[in-house]
Amino acid sequence: MAPLHPAPELRRKHRRARLRTLAFLSPWLVGFSVFFAYPLLATVYFSFMHYNQIEAPTFVGLRNWKYVLGQMPLFGPALWNTLWLVVVMVALRVVFGLGIGLLVTRIKSGVGFFRTAFYLPYLAPPVAATVAFVFLLNPGTGPVNEILSTIGISAPNWFNDPAWAKPSLVLLSLWGIGDLMVIFMAALLDVPKEQYEAAELDGAGAWSKFRFVTWPSITPIVMFAVVTGVVQTMQYYTQALVAGKLASGVSVGPGSSIQPGYPDHSTLTVPQLVYSLGFQNFNTGAACVLSLVLFVIAMAVTSLLMRKSAGLQTAED
């Protein structure tokens, strides 16, 4: 019979195992603490403070929360615009990305050219892509409106019209659909060909093969695209701000600022409002409240989507 380990030696062995595990986890723990836990706790702390980034913060209780949720006039439009972009932009990006992915995987020749052509706009920096897009859709001198006028179509004012400003941002996002196209292409090419062959033997058409073969195989990738799209769109800032600034024609120089949301607050998003409150008006407490509201909404939507995804996968299994 082998002798048992003495209790002190066994404790030292367990301690070494815990320290080894902690050493492997330390990069993640440091990153989580520095870039997530501390900023989140600091945001909660400053949401109950009056802080202008110059003087010491003073406790004001729920005053910032009451101001943001009940008295701030731009909170409603900014939240509506953000949620509108989340629903419309994410849905259309997923549909178009999947459609283009299906199209490119079905092409027999010139696959490299089409793949590069669709992916290339995604590589453009956000500011440069927005500048180019606003120029193309300029109602006075843009080539898009000139072409539409030539063929007898009354062109809209795009970024200068409150009714068309958000759809114009959606068009801009669809122009850079290359990232989702590549993801969906990889998922589509990973579907076993034997399943397609079996479906053809059973007399399945194109729609039946997509519904019963392709879709169940790529559902996890679709949910991944939806969840990441929701998180990214909740943080939508650069394109809307640059498009509004360029469309308004306001020249912004050193030391000057521009109120976001042109035209008529139609492109104002919650991240823009957070920046305007925190770094232009130095109302850090209200900016932290807005950040927490956006965080809670993003977490709620993401959790709901993850539960739906788990339910779909369980049903398929």
Side-chain angles (χ1 to χ4, degrees), residues 42-55 57-69 72 273-274 276-279 281-293:
T43 302
V44 174
Y45 170 78
F46 284 117
S47 69
F48 298 102
M49 299 289 173
H50 172 71
Y51 181 46
N52 59 8
Q53 304 179 24
I54 299 175
E55 302 173 349
T58 56
F59 181 75
V60 294
L62 296 176
R63 187 182 304 172
N64 292 323
W65 290 86
K66 293 178 180 178
Y67 169 69
V68 170
L69 299 179
M72 180 181 293
L273 199 56
V274 170
S276 178
L277 283 173
F279 297 99
N281 300 322
F282 300 102
N283 191 347
T284 304
C288 289
V289 172
L290 274 175
S291 300
L292 290 173
V293 171

Side-chain angles (χ1 to χ4, degrees), residues 106-306:
R106 297 293 190 275
I107 294 176
K108 301 300 182 181
S109 60
V111 177
F113 169 78
F114 287 104
R115 186 168 54 216
T116 303
F118 283 117
Y119 187 74
L120 208 55
Y122 173 72
L123 299 178
V127 175
T130 307
V131 171
F133 213 73
V134 172
F135 168 75
L136 292 174
L137 298 181
N138 187 288
T141 60
V144 173
N145 279 20
E146 292 182 0
I147 295 173
L148 293 177
S149 299
T150 302
I151 60 178
I153 298 178
S154 179
N157 287 329
W158 302 111
F159 289 105
N160 294 88
D161 186 350
W164 279 93
K166 287 192 290 292
S168 301
L169 291 174
V170 174
L171 290 176
L172 171 60
S173 70
L174 295 179
W175 185 47
I177 201 68
D179 56 335
L180 287 185
M181 179 203 68
V182 171
I183 293 174
F184 284 129
M185 282 183 60
L188 292 168
L189 293 174
D190 196 45
V191 179
K193 295 183 178 180
E194 294 81 4
Q195 296 184 11
Y196 288 119
E197 295 173 356
E200 289 180 357
L201 292 176
D202 290 338
W207 169 248
S208 297
K209 286 192 289 186
F210 174 80
R211 180 181 177 184
F212 296 107
V213 178
T214 305
W215 182 255
S217 300
I218 66 172
T219 296
I221 307 302
V222 173
M223 294 306 300
F224 168 79
V226 172
V227 171
T228 55
V230 167
V231 173
Q232 292 173 356
T233 311
M234 282 285 186
Q235 306 171 36
Y236 199 70
Y237 174 83
T238 304
Q239 292 89 334
L241 184 67
V242 173
K245 172 186 175 298
L246 293 174
S248 66
V250 176
S251 178
V252 179
S256 63
S257 62
I258 179 174
Q259 293 300 320
Y262 178 87
D264 196 21
H265 308 302
S266 60
T267 59
L268 180 66
T269 61
V270 176
Q272 293 181 59
L273 199 56
V274 170
Y275 180 84
S276 178
L277 283 173
F279 297 99
Q280 292 180 338
N281 300 322
F282 300 102
N283 191 347
T284 304
C288 289
V289 172
L290 274 175
S291 300
L292 290 173
V293 171
L294 189 65
F295 173 75
V296 170
I297 294 175
M299 287 295 296
V301 174
T302 303
S303 300
L304 178 62
L305 291 173
M306 295 297 290

